[in-house]
Amino acid sequence: MTGASKRAGITDVAKLAGVSLSTVSRAMNGNPTVDPALAARVLAAAQELGYTANPVARSLVLGRTQTVAVVIPDLENPTFQAILRGLSRAATLDGYHVLIADSVEDLAEERALAGTTRRRTDGVILCSPRMPQDELTALLPTLSPVVVINRGVQDGAPVVAADYGAALRELIEHLVAEGHRHLLYLAGSTRSASHVARQEAIARALADHDDLVIDELPAGVGFDSGTAAADGVLDSGATAVLAFNDLVAMGLLSELTTRGIRVPEQLSIVGFDDIPFAAYTSPPLTTAAVPASELGERAWQAMQALLQDEEPTPFQTLSPQLIVRGSTAPPHA
Amino acid sequence: MTGASKRAGITDVAKLAGVSLSTVSRAMNGNPTVDPALAARVLAAAQELGYTANPVARSLVLGRTQTVAVVIPDLENPTFQAILRGLSRAATLDGYHVLIADSVEDLAEERALAGTTRRRTDGVILCSPRMPQDELTALLPTLSPVVVINRGVQDGAPVVAADYGAALRELIEHLVAEGHRHLLYLAGSTRSASHVARQEAIARALADHDDLVIDELPAGVGFDSGTAAADGVLDSGATAVLAFNDLVAMGLLSELTTRGIRVPEQLSIVGFDDIPFAAYTSPPLTTAAVPASELGERAWQAMQALLQDEEPTPFQTLSPQLIVRGSTAPPHA
DNA sequence: CTGTTAGCGCCTTCAA
DNA sequence: TTGAAGGCGCTAACAG
């Protein structure tokens, strides 16, 4: 029995190569002040022992972990999944690791996770943080470097956001162009920043069209919120529904289909986000395509800039794109 | 200007409380051998300075990071997302963090990521690893502690897997019971372990039913694979299709609908996984519900056991459940 | 019960 | 160009 041989440390390599620790360190890090022959000898020794510098030890001395944290409200939401994916892939390309933290829509968790994860990483990206603005304002400085996704302009943190207001506005105009004059907005998480942006978009649309009516019905953010809203939708008398997101739209669509109500003949429905499944419902969903994975990518770029002491764009907006599919049509006479 | 005050370290707390570093360390870690009064004084000082032990430094000295890595083949796949979610939430409850690594279905990346992430964490969970068995066998010992999801029994790592074979078998029996005798299996990633399990299930079904025919058509794992398979499906003459997963089924369903072919009247389709959207297609998809998030949870439990030097179950299987919805019916005469 | 003394594994001045 | 020495911030013997 040779026993379980422990992983090789820098000392082992130094010994095998017959040099000092410092030389090994320098060689491993490609420091040009090392004699090429010596460096080669060191690298060979390292290879032979399968040596790689312990990342934790490096992190301690260098003060950086090559890792960033992403705090998201709900790992179950397709949009957040897409953001995470874009972010993760972009960060990986730059040699960074990603620590995820799912706050499960819990405000206290969100606050706590941001702080905890920040300490073991080089920066944190807050995705659609649910906490109120004053809390966020107080938290951001303690988290620096930090990037925020989907909130308004912030002091002390670059923001990358989708323009929810503009997108909703396009959706509304599409419906108006089709001839609808009585819409119903199914409101989702009122804590989300996009809620505010949407309210404003609605107000502006109302101001622009004298004969337009837009009712609002509080709903939620998932399938079930959509199915649960069916009664309210039918009672409202609206000819078209603006769902908070595609999930809600799908839930509603499914419930209406079950009840024998035909979409879009009897009622038009639009979703929001354009999750991958929106194209596969019957009828396929008219929606606004939020470039979620690109949002994640941009957020990483902002973080990357911060990490390199560069000046990132303080506030950038990505425009969702109107996708007209089969769930909208002119109202029936 | 007081300047940017650096984060408080253990020394600052020691100074403020008028004790030694060790006492602060002990107090902070709830070591009972500290005089209660002193401990209180230390905690107060820590609180005043907003002190929390640097996790990186602790990791170095303690030899553990309170973090585990999860390597998955594709962050875009709903099933992996669900596994990740279950795992992440379970780990969080036990005070662990999760580092994610998306190999983007790249074999070399998968191998590399496993090693890299392992070094900055206390263990790694390999989710549906794509690498061949001999490579996996060679890799596992270098990764210990390690847990594997969705592969066959392994030496040196507990495995948590869904019983794909049994589930496919149920799907087939359902179709046979409906009267189908000519099925078509749309094969997905042949590198996935579940592919093998499914082949076996098909073989057994064939052995049990003399008059049954099951053709196989290579496809892929996403929507597009489903739409692309439409021609082949139609040409096959089969009356029912076993899609590799719900995504493929949805792609196919959508394409057939576009072509005016009615499901399930003219053709039955079954999916696999029961992703959240499977219930919202038209018709809703008959499928096998793989308890993905529970798979993640179980994987965490196995890892947790390993981390505590306990003996985890070496191989456990979760049974998907047959979900009969509207996409299957008897074949038309 | 508390303080002093070594490290954890590595990088980086500082001399030589 | 290389080696020796001193930390990074914390925990854990080991004495007192």
Side-chain angles (χ1 to χ4, degrees):
Chain A
M1 305 289 163
T2 52
S5 57
K6 284 211 159 170
R7 178 164 201 100
I10 195 172
T11 321
D12 306 297
V13 180
K15 211 168 295 170
L16 181 59
V19 296
S20 74
L21 301 186
S22 349
T23 300
V24 175
S25 174
R26 287 191 276 249
M28 294 298 295
N29 293 309
N31 187 320
T33 77
V34 186
D35 181 291
L38 241 195
R41 190 141 55 89
V42 171
L43 269 344
Q47 170 125 41
E48 182 178 337
L49 297 175
Y51 169 78
T52 296
N54 179 323
V56 178
R58 299 195 82 216
S59 294
L60 180 59
V61 58
L62 295 177
R64 54 188 166 71
T65 59
Q66 293 289 111
T67 304
V68 294
V70 180
V71 181
I72 63 180
D74 180 11
L75 210 36
E76 193 159 1
N77 186 314
T79 298
F80 296 141
Q81 293 167 349
I83 291 177
L84 175 62
R85 173 162 36 90
L87 180 15
S88 160
R89 292 185 178 174
T92 300
L93 289 181
D94 286 331
Y96 271 76
H97 297 265
V98 175
L99 198 68
I100 61 162
D102 179 358
S103 70
V104 197
E105 294 284 0
D106 181 312
L107 258 164
E109 269 294 280
E110 181 175 85
R111 207 180 314 122
L113 285 174
T116 323
T117 59
R118 172 61 183 86
R119 297 223 55 196
R120 35 185 84 237
T121 59
D122 300 340
V124 42
I125 292 135
L126 263 28
C127 183
S128 302
R130 304 311 201 190
M131 71 185 80
Q133 185 56 48
D134 54 345
E135 268 188 50
L136 187 56
T137 304
L139 191 60
L140 289 183
T142 74
L143 259 28
S144 174
V146 54
V147 171
V148 176
I149 296 177
N150 277 346
R151 290 283 294 231
V153 181
Q154 301 293 324
D155 204 65
V159 175
V160 179
D163 191 340
Y164 286 87
L168 185 60
R169 192 55 204 275
E170 281 193 64
L171 251 9
I172 293 175
E173 290 306 327
H174 163 64
L175 258 10
V176 167
E178 294 277 278
H180 294 272
R181 287 300 176 272
H182 185 179
L183 315 182
L184 174 64
Y185 169 51
L186 256 30
S189 163
T190 49
R191 291 179 310 181
S192 79
S194 80
H195 178 66
V196 180
R198 299 192 205 200
Q199 302 270 38
E200 292 171 1
I202 289 176
R204 267 177 285 128
L206 253 16
D208 287 355
H209 301 279
D210 292 343
D211 55 344
L212 185 62
V213 175
I214 305 184
D215 291 334
E216 181 172 332
L217 192 64
V221 301
F223 290 119
D224 45 340
S225 312
T227 63
D231 283 328
V233 166
L234 264 15
D235 290 347
S236 74
T239 61
V241 177
L242 302 156
F244 182 74
N245 61 28
D246 292 340
L247 261 30
V248 173
M250 288 170 78
L252 175 62
L253 179 58
S254 157
E255 176 65 17
L256 293 180
T257 303
T258 302
R259 297 193 189 185
I261 291 158
R262 295 164 45 98
V263 175
E265 291 79 4
Q266 295 174 259
L267 186 76
S268 286
I269 298 180
V270 303
F272 212 110
D273 290 345
D274 192 34
I275 59 177
F277 306 89
Y280 294 92
T281 52
S282 298
L285 223 48
T286 290
T287 189
V290 173
S293 75
E294 190 182 346
L295 223 43
E297 222 175 292
R298 295 294 187 92
W300 165 251
Q301 286 161 9
M303 175 54 74
Q304 167 80 321
L306 249 25
L307 291 172
Q308 298 175 172
D309 267 309
E310 291 167 11
E311 201 70 45
T313 312
F315 184 79
Q316 57 183 311
T317 257
L318 297 187
S319 295
Q321 194 193 341
L322 175 66
I323 308 280
V324 177
R325 286 197 275 247
S327 66
T328 48
H332 66 285
Chain B
M1 304 290 163
T2 52
S5 57
K6 285 211 159 173
R7 180 165 198 99
I10 195 173
T11 320
D12 305 298
V13 180
K15 212 168 295 173
L16 181 59
V19 296
S20 74
L21 301 186
S22 357
T23 300
V24 174
S25 175
R26 287 190 277 248
M28 293 300 294
N29 294 308
N31 187 319
T33 76
V34 186
D35 181 292
L38 240 194
R41 190 141 56 89
V42 171
L43 269 344
Q47 170 123 42
E48 183 179 336
L49 298 175
Y51 169 79
T52 296
N54 179 324
V56 178
R58 299 196 80 217
S59 292
L60 181 59
V61 58
L62 295 177
R64 54 188 167 73
T65 60
Q66 294 289 111
T67 303
V68 293
V70 180
V71 181
I72 64 180
D74 180 12
L75 210 36
E76 193 158 3
N77 186 312
T79 298
F80 296 141
Q81 292 166 350
I83 290 177
L84 175 62
R85 173 163 35 91
L87 179 17
S88 161
R89 292 185 178 174
T92 300
L93 289 181
D94 285 331
Y96 271 76
H97 297 266
V98 175
L99 199 67
I100 60 162
D102 180 357
S103 70
V104 196
E105 295 283 0
D106 181 312
L107 258 165
E109 268 294 279
E110 181 175 86
R111 207 181 314 122
L113 285 173
T116 322
T117 59
R118 173 60 182 89
R119 297 222 54 197
R120 35 186 83 238
T121 58
D122 299 341
V124 42
I125 291 134
L126 263 27
C127 184
S128 302
R130 303 311 200 191
M131 71 186 79
Q133 184 56 47
D134 54 346
E135 269 188 50
L136 187 56
T137 305
L139 191 60
L140 289 183
T142 74
L143 259 28
S144 175
V146 53
V147 172
V148 176
I149 296 177
N150 277 346
R151 290 282 295 230
V153 180
Q154 301 293 325
D155 204 66
V159 175
V160 180
D163 191 340
Y164 286 87
L168 184 60
R169 192 55 204 276
E170 281 192 63
L171 250 11
I172 293 174
E173 290 306 327
H174 163 64
L175 257 12
V176 167
E178 293 277 277
H180 294 272
R181 288 300 177 273
H182 185 179
L183 314 182
L184 175 65
Y185 168 52
L186 257 28
S189 163
T190 49
R191 290 180 310 183
S192 80
S194 79
H195 177 66
V196 179
R198 298 191 205 201
Q199 302 271 37
E200 292 172 1
I202 289 176
R204 266 177 285 128
L206 253 16
D208 287 356
H209 301 279
D210 292 342
D211 56 344
L212 185 61
V213 174
I214 305 185
D215 291 333
E216 180 172 332
L217 191 64
V221 301
F223 290 120
D224 45 340
S225 312
T227 63
D231 283 328
V233 166
L234 263 15
D235 291 346
S236 74
T239 60
V241 176
L242 300 156
F244 183 73
N245 62 28
D246 292 339
L247 262 28
V248 173
M250 288 170 77
L252 175 62
L253 179 58
S254 158
E255 177 64 16
L256 292 179
T257 302
T258 301
R259 298 194 188 185
I261 291 157
R262 295 164 46 97
V263 175
E265 291 78 4
Q266 296 174 259
L267 186 76
S268 285
I269 298 180
V270 302
F272 211 108
D273 289 346
D274 192 34
I275 59 177
F277 305 88
Y280 293 91
T281 53
S282 298
L285 224 49
T286 290
T287 190
V290 173
S293 76
E294 190 181 346
L295 223 43
E297 222 175 293
R298 296 293 186 93
W300 166 251
Q301 285 162 9
M303 175 54 74
Q304 167 80 320
L306 249 26
L307 291 172
Q308 298 175 171
D309 268 308
E310 290 167 11
E311 201 68 47
T313 312
F315 185 79
Q316 57 182 311
T317 256
L318 297 187
S319 295
Q321 193 194 340
L322 175 66
I323 308 281
V324 177
R325 287 198 274 246
S327 66
T328 49
H332 66 284

